[in-house]
Amino acid sequence: MRWFSWLTSSAANTLVDPVSGRKLYPIDGGIAFPDYHKQETADIPIRNVAMPSHYIVPLRVNPRFTARPIVDIGARVRKGEKIGEPEGKFGVAVHAPTSGVIRDLGHYPMTHVSGLPALAYFIEPDGKDEAIEPTPYRGACDDTDRIRDFLQQMGLAGLGGAAFPSHAKVASSPVKTLIINGAECEPWITCDDRLMREHASEIVAGACDLAAAVHAQEILIGIEDNKPQAIAAMQAAAANHGTVTVVAIPTIYPAGGEKQLIERLTGIEVPYGHLSAEFGVLVFNVGTARAVHRALTYGEPLLERVVTLTGAADDPGNRWVRIGHPIAELILEMAPKPEVDRYLLGGPMTGFAIPDLDAPILKGSNCIIAASPDLFPPPPPEQPCIRCGACAPVCPARLEPMALYWFARAQQFGKAQEFHLFDCIECGCCAYVCPAHIPLVDYYRYAKSEIWEREREKSKAQQSKARFEFRNYRLEREKAEKAARAAAKAAETKRRLEAQAQESHAEASANGTNDRDGAASPSAPNANDAAARKKALVEAALARARAKRAAEATEPSGENRE
């Protein structure tokens, strides 16, 4: 039960947090579940899990960003040693979760709805858990660029589910408000609740570190009001920090969505295609804030996280789990009941059935639910849409789910985009209330994937066209350059011949002057001398021929020679 009643401002018809006295802004849509199923694990302290037989450490931090492997097969690594170098400005480093030997670098099943494999290290632990020497951050607390680079090398990624690289959120331009998200609005999940109860001081310290890095003027910690112990723990930790305010917000799903939380606390609506930093706001999960503090203060890379193990199990609760821990070995920790027929990763609204239990825990893996037919009965058959409109009032993004459904089904993707398909956060509220049991979110995901695929094909075609045009341009350029070189060579040859002719003419002129002065050199012939010598030679040859014929004519005949 909630531990206080909400105060309503009659003037503005808006909520006021009775704890902090802060005005809260209304948000649209959402669902208030009759049972959030958090009591199964919320009051159980976090425990460690036994070391598994192996770790599968993926080099793909999330579906969009990867790291480059830098350690060879057969090498021995220690806990915290970097084994993957970040690629690109959004990549983050990957580290070994324990000491051991790298047995393989290959493609292994990933914790994704597709079940497709990804490149990962297979590490066999040696049981020593030997760690490297930590290297805490030693720079200035407000040096944004250095902190961003440090967090990237520490492998920091969002622990709220999306695993977006944390360093990429640390904006270069100052922000006004830093929001720490402790709402945890989805049913069954309690990892953030337990983390706030047990590590509130570290979360507040990490929030202050982030605020200093982005030059934030205030820190707001938003927590749903169904977590009174967490609210009290965070208030006690923030008592000595004047810029930190713990705000209790109404419990309604999906109040923990980033845009919904921003709008609830500040009244700012962030449109699709824009980042919250453009409006002076940044949001980090409570687990991410603690990880930032551990990285900056103690030099600890992100190696583990809290995972909620719940559902049809005899030993549910929250566990500290290292990244790369195989799910097949982790689910044994909660002693699942015999009737379990599948396992869900994430909450029942946004999660999915794990296609391969050999897949590992990732940085964004926050909950595993042992699902049974009693807890999660199979959905009824899909029925035709009756156009009741029940989906529209619960949409937190102010969309028209029914129209998007028809456009997606008819493959009119352009119209779906006109109706702001990509504003959909895939919370599942529309499908939850649909009386026809239509899996609306699946249609939206299909439409998005088709649009992305067509955009990729269009991009490839544009790139091919650009390459073709550049090839033609290059060939024309090379042809023009070759012609220019030939013309330049011809011009140089002409210039050289003209220079030689001018030199010959100058020499001839000089020789003529010398002949007139009686001082010409016999060894310096010119064109006229050559012609004269040639003429003299011809005339001499003709004279010899004439003399020979004359001699033959005057010689006596043969019979008179005796």
Side-chain angles (χ1 to χ4, degrees):
M1 293 181 62
R2 303 174 190 176
W3 60 303
F4 50 76
S5 300
W6 284 100
L7 303 179
T8 303
S9 171
S10 58
N13 194 26
T14 56
L15 297 175
V16 177
D17 174 19
V19 177
S20 65
R22 186 179 180 88
K23 174 184 175 181
L24 301 177
Y25 298 84
I27 60 175
D28 291 338
I31 297 172
F33 294 102
D35 189 354
Y36 281 82
H37 292 282
K38 293 181 179 287
Q39 66 277 4
E40 285 88 344
T41 56
D43 296 328
I44 303 174
I46 305 173
R47 305 202 314 257
N48 293 320
V49 297
M51 185 172 293
S53 61
H54 64 275
Y55 287 95
I56 300 174
V57 184
L59 293 166
R60 182 175 292 277
V61 179
N62 64 26
R64 297 178 61 187
F65 310 117
T66 62
R68 174 174 53 85
I70 58 175
V71 180
D72 296 331
I73 298 174
R76 184 182 184 275
V77 294
R78 293 179 294 170
K79 177 183 176 182
E81 182 176 342
K82 185 164 65 173
I83 58 178
E85 188 70 27
E87 287 188 328
K89 64 179 182 178
F90 290 108
V92 297
V94 176
H95 303 81
T98 188
S99 59
V101 178
I102 294 181
R103 296 301 184 189
D104 187 28
L105 173 61
H107 287 79
Y108 290 87
M110 285 297 104
T111 314
H112 188 264
V113 65
S114 66
L116 295 176
L119 190 63
Y121 278 112
F122 186 99
I123 301 179
E124 181 182 307
D126 58 12
K128 300 178 181 178
D129 206 27
E130 180 182 357
I132 62 171
E133 186 69 24
T135 55
Y137 176 72
R138 300 300 185 189
C141 61
D142 58 351
D143 191 337
T144 304
D145 293 335
R146 287 192 61 185
I147 290 179
R148 184 193 300 114
D149 295 340
F150 185 83
L151 295 180
Q152 184 179 28
Q153 293 299 322
M154 289 289 104
L156 267 292
L159 300 181
F164 188 80
S166 300
H167 72 276
K169 281 189 174 184
V170 179
S172 299
S173 57
V175 299
K176 177 183 177 182
T177 304
L178 176 68
I179 296 178
I180 304 300
N181 188 349
E184 199 172 48
C185 58
E186 193 161 359
W188 295 92
I189 308 174
T190 60
C191 55
D192 289 347
D193 186 359
R194 287 307 314 179
L195 191 68
M196 288 186 287
R197 296 192 199 187
E198 300 182 27
H199 299 277
S201 60
E202 290 186 320
I203 295 172
V204 173
C208 294
D209 292 335
L210 288 168
V214 300
H215 310 282
Q217 301 174 16
E218 64 174 350
I219 302 173
L220 303 178
I221 303 177
I223 309 172
E224 282 192 328
D225 65 348
N226 62 352
K227 305 173 183 62
Q229 294 88 347
I231 293 174
M234 294 299 292
Q235 284 179 323
N240 297 326
H241 299 274
T243 59
V244 180
T245 303
V246 179
V247 185
I249 62 175
T251 299
I252 187 169
Y253 175 81
E258 180 175 304
K259 292 184 178 181
Q260 284 68 39
L261 186 59
I262 291 174
E263 188 171 0
R264 173 71 84 186
L265 295 178
T266 66
I268 298 173
E269 182 179 354
V270 181
Y272 174 77
H274 294 268
L275 300 176
S276 60
E278 300 175 27
F279 299 85
V281 184
L282 280 181
V283 181
F284 289 89
N285 177 263
V286 290
T288 308
R290 177 186 178 273
V292 168
H293 169 70
R294 301 292 300 183
L296 296 176
T297 305
Y298 304 106
E300 291 183 6
L302 182 55
L303 302 178
E304 62 181 359
R305 62 156 301 135
V306 182
V307 179
T308 299
L309 304 179
T310 186
D314 293 326
D315 190 15
N318 288 280
R319 307 286 198 276
W320 283 109
V321 184
R322 297 187 187 180
I323 309 303
H325 196 296
I327 293 178
E329 297 188 33
L330 180 61
I331 58 178
L332 300 177
E333 293 279 338
M334 60 175 167
K337 295 181 178 180
E339 61 267 24
V340 173
D341 59 356
R342 66 191 187 280
Y343 294 91
L344 305 179
L345 182 73
M349 300 297 290
T350 60
F352 57 89
I354 303 173
D356 193 332
L357 295 181
D358 291 330
I361 288 292
L362 306 180
K363 295 178 181 180
S365 305
N366 56 1
C367 178
I368 296 178
I369 303 176
S372 66
D374 291 337
L375 291 176
F376 298 94
E382 179 180 342
Q383 301 294 327
C385 176
I386 61 175
R387 304 177 187 269
C388 65
C391 51
V394 299
C395 178
R398 305 183 180 96
L399 302 178
E400 299 181 37
M402 183 177 65
L404 292 175
Y405 160 70
W406 284 112
F407 293 140
R409 181 166 181 158
Q411 297 187 353
Q412 297 181 9
F413 302 126
K415 294 291 294 184
Q417 285 184 277
E418 291 179 11
F419 277 68
H420 309 287
L421 169 67
F422 286 94
D423 279 347
C424 172
I425 63 174
E426 302 178 12
C427 63
C429 291
C430 54
Y432 182 82
V433 300
C434 179
H437 310 294
I438 302 174
L440 295 169
V441 177
D442 291 344
Y443 284 96
Y444 307 152
R445 288 172 178 164
Y446 161 72
K448 289 180 181 180
S449 64
E450 285 295 315
I451 293 172
W452 285 329
E453 182 61 28
R454 294 185 182 190
E455 289 294 331
R456 281 192 291 268
E457 292 298 326
K458 182 180 178 180
S459 177
K460 289 180 181 179
Q462 291 175 343
Q463 291 175 0
S464 298
K465 180 181 178 181
R467 286 195 298 268
F468 175 75
E469 292 177 348
F470 181 76
R471 178 180 179 273
N472 290 341
Y473 163 75
R474 177 175 56 81
L475 294 176
E476 291 294 333
R477 183 190 64 191
E478 291 175 353
K479 182 178 179 181
E481 290 175 351
K482 184 177 180 180
R485 287 194 298 269
K489 185 176 180 180
E492 176 63 21
T493 302
K494 181 179 179 182
R495 185 193 64 78
R496 187 169 60 251
L497 293 175
E498 289 176 351
Q500 291 176 354
Q502 290 176 358
E503 290 177 359
S504 299
H505 180 71
E507 290 177 358
S509 299
N511 290 335
T513 302
N514 291 337
D515 289 341
R516 287 193 298 272
D517 294 343
S521 174
S523 62
N526 53 36
N528 295 331
D529 293 340
R533 286 196 300 272
K534 182 176 180 180
K535 183 177 180 180
L537 291 173
V538 171
E539 290 178 351
L542 291 174
R544 287 194 298 271
R546 285 194 295 269
K548 184 178 179 181
R549 285 196 298 271
E552 291 177 351
T554 57
E555 185 179 352
S557 60
E559 57 272 14
N560 295 326
R561 288 177 186 176
E562 299 296 333

